[in-house]
Amino acid sequence: MKRIILLAGFMVAFSFSLQAQTPNKEEMMKSWGKYMAPGEMHKMLSSTDGVWTEDITMWMDPSAPPTKSKAKATNRMIMGGRYQESKHVGTFDGKKFEGFGTLGYDNAKKVFQSTWIDNMGTGTMFMEGTWDAATKTVNFKGKCVDPSSGQEMDVREVYTMMDNNNHKMTMYMTMPGQSEMKTMEILLKRVGNQPVKK
């Protein structure tokens, strides 16, 4: 409901803006058209549609050995190719794990934007990242909550497209008052070569 109210407010403000700047109305409509049109970055996202296996390594305590688990991710583009949804299922510590992410590219800000929720918490993680074509990597930065203290902590994620069928995600977190530490590495391998049907 809150999102609907915010969207309605945004559209009203946009309408007033158009009326207040009548001479530039055509130019503003062109800008809006460019903003909403899927581009090359969205095309790149769509190339990762499909089913992927995930080999997950997690470091909960830097002084202890990492824990390992497996999961499966299913990616598909939604809303006319503007965003990608990603559903993850697997196990963690002997329990069922479920995660859901969205990934898009903001044409105006020129950044990727990512959201993540899962059944291991009740919050939403939001990150923004830039594309490095030389290394085929998206470098994300964002924040999430440390449940033990209730404080926000910095999160950094490096997502590398090694080739069409093999990707790697590495996550780093900075706990309040501590140095950054590597907390997760996921090796993703595509299952087959066909993307999920729309």
Side-chain angles (χ1 to χ4, degrees), residues 10-78:
F10 178 75
M11 294 305 293
V12 169
F14 180 66
S15 176
F16 278 128
S17 177
L18 289 178
Q19 294 175 25
Q21 301 181 33
T22 305
N24 297 319
K25 182 176 180 179
E26 184 177 343
E27 183 179 330
M28 290 185 70
M29 291 305 293
K30 286 182 179 178
S31 296
W32 188 265
K34 291 180 180 179
Y35 177 63
M36 68 180 287
E40 288 302 310
M41 293 293 100
H42 302 89
K43 183 178 179 180
M44 182 177 71
L45 274 183
S46 71
S47 72
T48 68
D49 274 5
V51 179
W52 299 74
T53 59
E54 300 178 306
D55 287 320
I56 305 167
T57 304
M58 294 186 68
W59 290 265
M60 305 296 290
D61 180 346
S63 63
T67 60
K68 293 181 178 291
S69 61
K70 292 183 180 293
K72 182 177 73 173
T74 303
N75 301 335
R76 72 183 185 102
M77 297 300 286
I78 58 174

Side-chain angles (χ1 to χ4, degrees), residues 70-145:
K70 292 183 180 293
K72 182 177 73 173
T74 303
N75 301 335
R76 72 183 185 102
M77 297 300 286
I78 58 174
M79 297 190 181
R82 292 173 176 85
Y83 306 92
Q84 184 184 69
E85 69 171 27
S86 185
K87 297 180 179 180
H88 302 250
V89 293
T91 57
F92 177 74
D93 196 25
K95 299 176 182 178
K96 182 179 180 180
F97 172 80
E98 295 179 283
F100 183 86
T102 63
L103 183 58
Y105 183 80
D106 188 313
N107 287 335
K109 296 182 70 175
K110 309 297 183 188
V111 295
F112 283 95
Q113 294 178 325
S114 166
T115 65
W116 176 261
I117 57 174
D118 59 46
N119 66 334
M120 297 295 176
T122 54
T124 302
M125 183 167 63
F126 175 77
M127 292 189 291
E128 290 189 334
T130 54
W131 171 246
D132 184 339
T135 60
K136 295 183 178 180
T137 298
V138 184
N139 296 286
F140 288 100
K141 288 184 178 180
K143 291 184 180 294
C144 66
V145 174

